[in-house]
Amino acid sequence: MAFTIDEQKKVDTARGASIVEYLERRGYNLVPGQSNTANTFFRSPFTEDKTASFRVKNATNTFSDFSSGYSGDIIALIERLEGLQFWEAVDKALEILGTSAPVVINTELLPETKIRRVIDLEHPQLLQYLLEKRKINLTIAKQYCKQVEWTVNKKDGTTPKFYFAIGFEVGKGGAYTCRNEFWKGYVGPGEQNSPTYIKGTDENSTKLNVYEGFIDFLSALTRLNKLVPTHPTLILNSIVWKALIPDGLEYDAYVDNDNGGQQVIDYLKTIGKCNDMRVYYRSFPDFNEYHINTPTKQHI
C-alpha cells in the first residue's frame, strides 16, 4: 500500500498506540508470571486459548499470536479484532493515542535471542511436565523433542536471562517451537516457524495425518504406543501454514475445537478428502485434553 507523505506520518503516529493498553481497555488481562520487560503475554483474543500464547514485543510494539498465526502492529490488531478497514483502524489507534503516551520504539534495545545448546531431554521439570501434565510417553517424546536452552540479551548490557523448554524442530531447521509448563513460543534464527513433516511407515499411503501442534501428535502416538505413525504426518505448528499442506490427498485432521481448527478443516475440504477426527473429541478443546481425560482403550 503506497501512502502520501501526510498519510505515512499519520500511520507512523498511529503505530505509537500501545497494544498492551489497547488490549487492557478491551478487558484482556496480561499474564504476570510470563510477562517481563521484553515481552508482555496475554491469552489470545482470537482463539479459545488456555495458555498465554499472545505475545507483545514491548520494544517494537508488535504482536505475535501463536495460537492463530496472526501477527503485526497495533493497526493490524485492531483491523482483525474489530473487523475494521485499514484507515478505520488507523483512526481507532489515534483515538487511543490521544488519551495516553505514545510507545517509544527503540531499535537499540531490541532483545536478542540466542540458542546456547540443544540436547536430549533430561531436565526433571520438563520430563515431569510431559509425563504428569500431558500424559506423554517419555520414550516417544525423546524420539521427537529436544531440550532447548537459550538466553535473551539486550544491547544495553543487561544481564542475559536464561530459559529452557521442550523443543520440537520446525521444518525450516535451526528453529524450534518450544513449550514448558509456563510458556510456549518459537526460538531460533528469526524465530521462523513452519510445518514439520514426519515420514510414516506406510510408504504407499495416500493419507496424511494433520495436527496443529506437536503435543497432540505425541498424544496420538502415546495412545497407539507407536514411535512412528503409520501414515505420513504434518504438524502445522500454526494454522497460518495450512496453505502449505500438499493437496489431492485424504486427510485425517486432528485439529483444535475452535475457530482456528475449523479454518483448517474448511481448507482441507477444498483440496482433498477430509476426515474430521474431532468427532471423537468434541467435548474437549484439543486432542491432548481428550487424551488426558479419556481411557486409551477408546477410539483415538
Side-chain angles (χ1 to χ4, degrees):
M1 182 182 296
F3 301 131
T4 66
I5 293 176
D6 288 340
E7 287 175 336
Q8 186 65 62
K9 287 180 179 179
K10 184 177 181 180
V11 170
D12 291 342
T13 301
R15 285 175 176 150
S18 169
I19 290 177
V20 172
E21 182 175 340
Y22 167 69
L23 288 172
E24 288 181 330
R25 287 187 182 190
R26 290 184 62 85
Y28 299 100
N29 298 316
L30 62 85
V31 180
Q34 294 178 236
S35 300
N36 51 54
T37 56
N39 303 295
T40 303
F41 283 89
F42 294 83
R43 289 182 174 81
S44 172
F46 300 111
T47 66
E48 297 172 3
D49 185 16
K50 284 191 171 183
T51 59
S53 61
F54 186 100
R55 179 183 66 185
V56 180
K57 285 193 173 183
N58 298 327
T60 57
N61 195 39
T62 55
F63 76 93
S64 297
D65 183 13
F66 301 112
S67 66
S68 67
Y70 303 143
S71 61
D73 59 14
I74 180 70
I75 299 170
L77 178 59
I78 294 173
E79 280 185 285
R80 190 168 292 279
L81 196 56
E82 300 194 30
L84 301 178
Q85 298 298 314
F86 178 81
W87 288 110
E88 293 175 324
V90 170
D91 289 338
K92 182 73 173 182
L94 290 172
E95 288 178 16
I96 298 167
L97 189 57
T99 58
S100 61
V103 174
V104 177
I105 300 174
N106 189 341
T107 57
E108 293 301 314
L109 296 178
L110 296 182
E112 178 184 338
T113 300
K114 183 176 182 180
I115 293 180
R116 294 301 181 182
R117 65 172 184 167
V118 177
I119 61 175
D120 290 338
L121 277 172
E122 64 177 24
H123 198 287
Q125 289 182 11
L126 300 181
L127 297 177
Q128 183 180 27
Y129 169 70
L130 283 169
L131 185 62
E132 297 184 8
K133 298 288 187 179
R134 296 296 176 177
K135 307 297 183 185
I136 303 296
N137 180 292
L138 294 182
T139 300
I140 293 172
K142 291 178 179 180
Q143 174 84 1
Y144 295 97
C145 299
K146 294 292 185 180
Q147 181 170 308
V148 180
E149 302 174 358
W150 71 96
T151 54
V152 176
N153 306 292
K154 282 192 173 183
K155 294 180 181 179
D156 63 354
T158 303
T159 302
K161 192 166 184 179
F162 176 80
Y163 301 89
F164 64 94
I166 302 152
F168 182 76
E169 190 169 12
V170 299
K172 292 182 179 179
Y176 294 81
T177 175
C178 294
R179 73 182 305 154
N180 53 38
E181 189 172 358
F182 309 103
W183 178 86
K184 66 178 179 179
Y186 300 100
V187 179
E191 299 185 13
Q192 295 296 313
N193 69 316
S194 61
T196 302
Y197 178 80
I198 305 295
K199 186 178 180 180
T201 56
D202 184 354
E203 296 182 357
N204 299 316
S205 176
T206 58
K207 180 180 286 189
L208 182 71
N209 297 323
V210 178
Y211 294 88
E212 277 194 49
F214 74 92
I215 292 293
D216 292 329
F217 167 62
L218 298 178
S219 299
L221 290 181
T222 296
R223 293 183 77 83
L224 292 170
N225 195 27
K226 285 186 174 183
L227 277 177
V228 183
T230 301
H231 303 290
T233 299
L234 195 71
I235 298 91
L236 290 174
N237 298 314
S238 170
I239 65 167
V240 72
W241 300 111
K242 62 183 180 294
L244 297 182
I245 301 172
D247 59 11
L249 301 174
E250 180 180 356
Y251 310 97
D252 281 355
Y254 298 87
V255 294
D256 294 354
N257 278 310
D258 59 14
N259 291 335
Q262 189 60 49
Q263 289 178 38
V264 176
I265 295 294
D266 292 342
Y267 178 75
L268 291 174
K269 289 179 179 179
T270 68
I271 64 171
K273 179 182 177 182
C274 177
N275 302 314
D276 187 349
M277 305 305 284
R278 296 179 302 175
V279 65
Y280 298 109
Y281 54 99
R282 284 292 184 189
S283 299
F284 301 93
D286 57 37
F287 189 86
N288 178 249
E289 287 293 329
Y290 162 73
H291 167 62
I292 291 170
N293 293 285
T294 309
T296 55
K297 65 182 180 181
Q298 295 190 25
H299 196 289
I300 69 162

